[in-house]
Amino acid sequence: MTRKILVFDTTLRDGEQVPGAKLNLYEKVEIAQQLKKLGVDIIEAGFPASSQGDFDAVRAVAERVGNTSDIMITALARAVQYDIDRVYEAVKYAQNPMIHMVLGTSDIHVEKKFSKSKDQILQIGVDAVKYARTLCPQVQYSTEDASRSDFDYLWTTIEAVMKAGATMINVPDTVGYAEPEEWGHLIYRLNDRMKNVNPDVILSVHCHNDLGMATANTLAAVKNGADKVEVTINGIGERAGNAALEEVVMALKTRNQIYEATTGINTREIINTSRLVSSFMGLDVQVNKAITGDNAFAHSSGIHQDGLLKSRDAYEIVHPEDVGLEDMELVLTARSGRHAVKNALEKLGIAPQSTDDFEAIFEKFLQLADAKKEVYNHDLYVIVESYYEATDSATNESTTAFSDAFYDLQDLQVISNSTFPSASIRLTRGADVIPASAVGTGPVDALYSAIASVTKIDAKLVEYNISSVSRGKEALGKVKITLEYNGETYMSKAADTDILRASALAYINAINSIIVETLQPTIHV
Ligand code: KIV
Ligand code: ZN
């Protein structure tokens, strides 16, 4: 029988503990709205005792996102009255509030951190739960550092706080020390005992990723009876982070026969949520990160592209559209095989008539891919057209001068200062050389304004990112633009040793992608 696993998202609390990832109130509310759309069951919105700003943000999330009964809003407290009061005062505006408190159970925490006896700590926990229950019907108790705790003391604590009124018991692997088999066994034993004491109390796990096992440990816990998982978007969190929501959810979905468990997550919102969190917190997602990394669905090896085109399940266990990506992205590179190039040409409506024609085009593609690394649709047009011109075998009037439709960057000059950032560019389009200048709020803004004044495509820049790709040698510019008139989004990249050139080329590539779509695909060679 398939069990429903509750998803407790702590991106706004454990995730926000990442240095530099602090959010303001509006950003927190925006992310919380998106988490609600994603379908999480519980949002942990912060640690209200830490600052007035965090208190206000948790309260705003409770009021504006917790205004329905299908989502629970909580926040973290230490097991002391001041913290518990702050949490309650902030979350009480939600229809379904919960107080979450944490207190250590390992010898290291009890003896070294608190310098108290185990009995004293146990009593503090019990009293804190009893107090919290006078305020709120839902109280979660976290046994911090559970994976390094003595089992008997851990169980004694859990039993005592359950009897004191805790409605959820969260068992954390605080330092990412657990190993899946051992962790699964621990959860199995706790679940067995808990169900005998009170089957209504929820058993939860919270796993950190210090040894790269957070997702595996979380899944082992689900297999062994955990009813709830604590996770973050993109796996962000203290040190190496927490179990990633997207990994746990997609593993449960993809390997359902093994776990026999499901969640209420709308998986099609995963990518949107990941990008929102990444951009608001300024934390890039590792490119090869499972599910949400840029390359998670990009197949660049020729053998893989060929296999995929024959049958998607050859190399695809999760469909990109299931997590909110439109279609699988076949990045054409020098390693792409003939099948992938043929497929890309067909999608553009370009059908070489003979094998010799195709081979000649493929040869040109390889030369360009060597030079440019990534080949875009507009590059394919140019390749085909230049082949067509060279062989002088025109059969269709409308094929003339496709390359004249696309922009390229001939030169740029950017002046960066605090009063008057400005940019001058020279773009080419076919034989035309078009100069333009603009000022902006900064050098990139000036550059993009100059390009936009030439292309006259009414598009809004919604994302811009520049990063180094090869230990400082090349910069990778990435942009996402949205067409004002229909809201369609286009993403593009470009690499160059000059960061401003990389930025300009990424933008021009995105513009060229828009132009490709407006062209009538009627080339037949
Ligand atoms: O890692 C941890 O132990 C925590 C608790 C507050 C659940 O974040
Ligand atoms: Zn944690």
Side-chain angles (χ1 to χ4, degrees):
M1 199 193 67
T2 297
R3 292 184 303 140
K4 161 101 193 280
I5 303 298
L6 296 173
V7 175
F8 174 117
D9 183 279
T10 182
T11 304
L12 299 177
R13 198 276 299 165
D14 214 316
E16 209 203 14
Q17 286 170 214
V18 176
K22 193 95 191 103
L23 300 168
N24 66 34
L25 183 148
Y26 301 99
E27 291 165 332
K28 265 204 175 182
V29 172
E30 184 107 11
I31 291 179
Q33 298 283 18
Q34 178 60 30
L35 291 170
K36 187 173 173 180
K37 207 163 159 199
L38 179 67
V40 307
D41 301 283
I42 305 166
I43 293 176
E44 184 167 50
F47 181 20
S50 66
S51 70
Q52 184 61 38
D54 207 42
F55 176 91
D56 293 340
V58 173
R59 179 179 163 162
V61 170
E63 280 171 340
R64 297 180 214 172
V65 184
N67 55 355
T68 49
S69 59
D70 52 359
I71 193 157
M72 192 178 270
I73 308 294
T74 192
L76 185 66
R78 288 162 296 189
V80 295
Q81 190 173 335
Y82 174 76
D83 282 23
I84 294 170
D85 286 340
R86 291 299 275 171
V87 168
Y88 183 64
E89 287 305 314
V91 299
K92 70 180 183 191
Y93 299 92
Q95 277 198 25
N96 230 341
M98 179 167 83
I99 296 172
H100 174 199
M101 74 181 70
V102 60
L103 188 60
T105 45
S106 66
D107 291 356
I108 303 170
H109 278 242
V110 172
E111 287 158 14
K112 300 201 177 132
K113 191 168 139 187
F114 297 114
S115 304
K116 289 209 168 12
S117 73
K118 283 183 168 170
D119 285 348
Q120 284 172 315
I121 291 292
L122 184 61
Q123 197 53 50
I124 292 172
V126 167
D127 291 345
V129 170
K130 283 186 179 159
Y131 176 66
R133 276 301 305 265
T134 64
L135 304 173
C136 189
Q138 292 290 341
V139 172
Q140 166 162 294
Y141 191 90
S142 281
T143 53
E144 193 177 15
D145 207 14
S147 52
R148 293 191 301 166
S149 300
D150 167 66
F151 182 80
D152 289 335
Y153 181 64
L154 178 64
W155 170 247
T156 307
T157 303
I158 291 174
E159 189 179 29
V161 297
M162 279 173 78
K163 288 184 175 158
T167 51
M168 296 195 193
I169 299 295
N170 181 44
V171 184
D173 177 23
T174 303
V175 289
Y177 181 72
E179 179 280 331
E181 208 171 321
E182 162 206 73
W183 184 243
H185 184 57
L186 173 71
I187 298 305
Y188 183 87
R189 290 171 78 196
L190 293 176
N191 183 44
D192 195 39
R193 293 184 183 206
M194 279 175 62
K195 293 293 177 273
N196 279 327
V197 175
N198 183 350
D200 294 334
V201 173
I202 301 282
L203 172 57
S204 163
V205 289
H206 174 112
C207 299
H208 276 272
N209 204 32
D210 299 65
L211 296 175
M213 296 196 280
T215 298
N217 284 329
T218 304
L219 293 168
V222 168
K223 231 177 176 178
N224 284 282
D227 312 295
K228 166 174 156 285
V229 291
E230 295 204 357
V231 286
T232 58
I233 300 297
N234 299 330
I236 60 170
E238 277 283 348
R239 307 179 309 281
N242 291 64
L245 178 146
E246 62 277 8
E247 293 174 14
V248 173
V249 166
M250 292 315 290
L252 292 178
K253 186 173 161 129
T254 310
R255 305 306 310 274
N256 182 262
Q257 286 188 329
I258 297 218
Y259 295 108
E260 295 181 322
T262 183
T263 67
I265 295 295
N266 173 4
T267 61
R268 289 178 170 266
E269 287 297 330
I270 284 179
I271 295 296
N272 279 341
T273 317
S274 160
R275 294 201 171 140
L276 186 71
V277 167
S278 163
S279 79
F280 277 12
M281 289 190 159
L283 299 173
D284 280 350
V285 180
Q286 183 185 326
V287 286
N288 59 325
K289 163 87 185 55
I291 313 294
T292 54
D294 266 4
N295 291 351
F297 298 98
H299 304 269
S300 72
S301 121
I303 297 171
H304 285 211
Q305 291 189 347
D306 185 57
L308 261 172
L309 292 167
K310 287 176 180 147
S311 170
R312 287 180 69 170
D313 57 8
Y315 289 103
E316 193 175 280
I317 57 159
V318 171
H319 298 313
E321 56 273 25
D322 287 351
V323 295
L325 276 171
E326 285 321 300
D327 202 355
M328 64 185 173
E329 190 185 344
L330 291 184
V331 182
L332 292 178
T333 67
R335 295 188 308 282
S336 296
R338 287 175 172 70
H339 194 176
V341 174
K342 198 172 261 173
N343 183 266
L345 290 171
E346 273 164 16
K347 277 193 178 161
L348 294 174
I350 301 169
Q353 277 172 3
S354 72
T355 311
D356 284 352
D357 286 334
F358 176 74
E359 284 304 318
I361 290 167
F362 186 67
E363 193 50 43
K364 279 178 176 291
F365 159 80
L366 286 179
Q367 286 162 11
L368 189 68
D370 270 340
K372 265 196 86 181
K373 294 191 178 69
E374 288 185 354
V375 175
Y376 288 80
N377 284 347
H378 59 269
D379 295 319
L380 289 178
Y381 271 125
V382 176
I383 292 170
V384 172
E385 188 200 323
S386 66
Y387 169 73
Y388 157 78
E389 278 169 358
T391 54
D392 199 28
S393 60
T395 56
N396 189 325
E397 293 265 296
S398 66
T399 62
T400 53
F402 260 109
S403 62
D404 291 357
F406 304 117
Y407 292 99
D408 204 354
L409 178 68
Q410 192 179 68
D411 210 354
L412 65 84
Q413 188 183 42
V414 175
I415 297 169
S416 171
N417 58 36
S418 52
T419 47
F420 217 52
S422 60
S424 300
I425 52 157
R426 260 203 311 269
L427 297 189
T428 58
R429 197 182 202 198
D432 295 342
V433 178
I434 315 153
S437 300
V439 291
T441 53
V444 175
D445 185 53
L447 189 55
Y448 285 5
S449 298
I451 296 170
S453 74
V454 175
T455 63
K456 300 203 169 44
I457 289 180
D458 199 5
K460 192 165 116 197
L461 180 71
V462 284
E463 250 176 63
Y464 164 77
N465 180 289
I466 190 98
S467 53
S468 85
V469 270
S470 52
R471 285 196 179 257
K473 276 198 184 149
E474 281 215 311
L476 180 70
K478 284 195 221 168
V479 299
K480 182 163 152 187
I481 57 179
T482 302
L483 271 181
E484 292 289 3
Y485 82 96
N486 64 3
E488 289 266 352
T489 293
Y490 298 80
M491 278 193 273
S492 253
K493 302 185 230 171
D496 200 279
T497 45
D498 177 329
I499 57 169
L500 289 167
R501 259 192 94 78
S503 304
L505 287 169
Y507 190 77
I508 291 168
N509 277 339
I511 294 288
N512 283 339
S513 303
I514 296 171
I515 294 171
V516 165
E517 294 209 344
T518 64
L519 295 174
Q520 284 304 311
T522 49
I523 297 182
H524 297 280
V525 290

